[in-house]
Amino acid sequence: MARWLAEWHPDDETFWETTGKRIARRNLIFSIFAEHLGFTVWTLWSIVATRMGAYQFSTDQLFWLVALPNLIGSALRVPYTFGPARFGGRTFTTFSALMLLIPAVLLGVAVSDPGTPYWLFLLIAALAGVGGGNFASSMANITYFYPRSRQGVALGLNAAGGNIGVSSVQLVMPLVIGGLGLAAAGWFWVPFILLAAGCAWFFMDNLASAKASPREQLAVAGRAQTWVMSFLYIGTFGSFIGYSTAFPLLAKSLFPDSPWAAVAFAGPLVGSLIRPVGGWLADRLGGAPVTLWNFAGMGAGVALVWLAVEAGAFWPFFLAFQVLFVTAGIGNGSTYRMIPAIFQAKAVAERGESEEALLYGKRQASAAIGIISAVGALGGFLINRAFGMSFAQTGSPATALAAFGAFYVACFVLTWWCYTRTVGVSRVASLAHARV
C-alpha cells in the first residue's frame, strides 16, 4: 500500500508502458468511484425538491434548494483543487469522500420531521455543495497521472464517471423514496460513501511530483487563458449541471401529469457518456473547432426547448432537452481537453521541451482546472435561479431560455475570436495552443 510515489514520469514511454499505465488506471478507477458519489450527493436536491409537497414551498423556493448546492460547490472547487498538491491525491480523496456523510445524514434526519423550517433545508442543501468540490480535486489529481497524449480520454472518463452520478440520483432516488420514504434519500448513500473512502485510502497513491504550494498554483489566476476558458466552461459544464438539476422540477412544474420522473435520468446519463467523445474529438480535430460548433448546437437546442414549451408538449420538450445534454457533454470534453493543452504548450514555449517544463505545465493546468471548474459550476446556480426568477415573474421559463440563448451566442463569438479566427494567413497566435 504505497503512501507516496517518489518517481513518476508518465511522458517517458518506457516508464509508462512498464509501470505507469497500471498505476494510473488503478487510481483513475477509484477516483471515478469517489467522484461519482460526490455528484450524487451534490445533486440529491434535484429530486428531493420535487418530493416536498408536504412543506408547501413555492416553485421559486424549491429552485433555491436546487440552486444552492451548485453555488457552494462552485466556491469549494478552488480550495479543493489545491488539496491533492498539498496533501496528496490519495489522502485528499479519502477526506473529501468522508465529507459527503455530513449532508447525507442531515438530509435523512431533517425530512423525518414535518416541522423542519425552510432555513434549515437551505443550510443542508448548501452543505451538499461539498460534493461539487470533489470534481476539482479529482480532475486536478488525475491530470498528473497521465501523459499529454492520453489526458483527453483520461480526464473525459474521470469526469464522465462522476457526471453519471447525476443520472444515478435521478434514476434510483424516485424508486428509493417511493419505497422507503423521503428520509432514505440521505441514508441510502451512507454505505457507498464509506466504501468509496475506504477504496481511496487502500488503493490510491500520492505523487511526490504533484506537490506544489497554493501560492505557486494561484499564479495561474493572472493568465488571461484561465478566464477565457472559465467563461466557456460556464457554457458547457455549467449548462450540463444546471439543466441536470433543473430538469426534474422544471418538467414537473410545466407538465405535472407527464412521466418526467421515469425519464429525468436520461439526459444526465447521455451527457455524461458522451463527454469522453468530446475529449476524443478534441484530441483529433482540436478543442477550439469542436467547442465552437458545439456552442452553435447548444443555441439550437435552447430554441427547440422554447418551441416545445410554447407548444405545451412534453415529449418534444424532453427530446429538445436531450439535444442540450448531448451538446453540453461534448462541450465538457472538448473544453477540458483544451486546458492542459494550452498550459503545457505554453510551458514548453517558455521553458523548452523538457520533463521539467512538462511538469510545470501540468501544475499550471491542474491549478487552472480548479479555477475554471469553479467558475464553470456557477452555471448550475445561475440556470436554476434564472428558471426560478422567470417562473416567479412570468409563470414561464421563456425569459430564462432567451437569456441562455444569448449566452451561447456570446460563447460562440468568444471562441471564434480567441481560438479560431485567422489574421492574414495564420491563426491567432495567443491561443493557438488550444488546438494542440
Side-chain angles (χ1 to χ4, degrees), residues 298-428:
M298 296 185 78
V302 167
L304 290 173
V305 171
W306 177 80
L307 289 172
V309 170
E310 291 298 304
F314 173 74
W315 288 112
F317 170 81
F318 171 77
L319 292 174
F321 251 99
Q322 303 318 295
V323 174
L324 287 175
F325 282 118
V326 168
T327 50
I330 291 174
N332 283 343
S334 64
T335 51
Y336 237 81
R337 177 63 185 97
M338 291 164 70
I339 298 168
I342 290 170
F343 287 95
Q344 290 180 32
K346 278 191 164 294
V348 170
E350 294 169 359
R351 302 188 174 207
E353 185 75 45
S354 66
E355 184 172 349
E356 186 276 333
L358 292 175
L359 180 58
Y360 174 77
K362 286 185 178 181
R363 286 174 177 162
Q364 292 274 292
S366 175
I369 281 172
I371 295 173
I372 292 166
S373 68
V375 176
L378 279 174
F381 172 77
L382 296 173
I383 283 176
N384 279 283
R385 287 309 308 136
F387 280 133
M389 290 186 292
S390 186
F391 269 100
Q393 294 171 6
T394 68
S396 163
T399 303
L401 292 171
F404 303 155
F407 182 76
Y408 297 140
V409 170
C411 289
F412 181 92
V413 172
L414 181 64
T415 305
W416 171 79
W417 179 265
C418 292
Y419 289 85
T420 65
R421 68 188 174 101
T422 57
V423 178
V425 296
S426 62
R427 299 282 190 180
V428 178

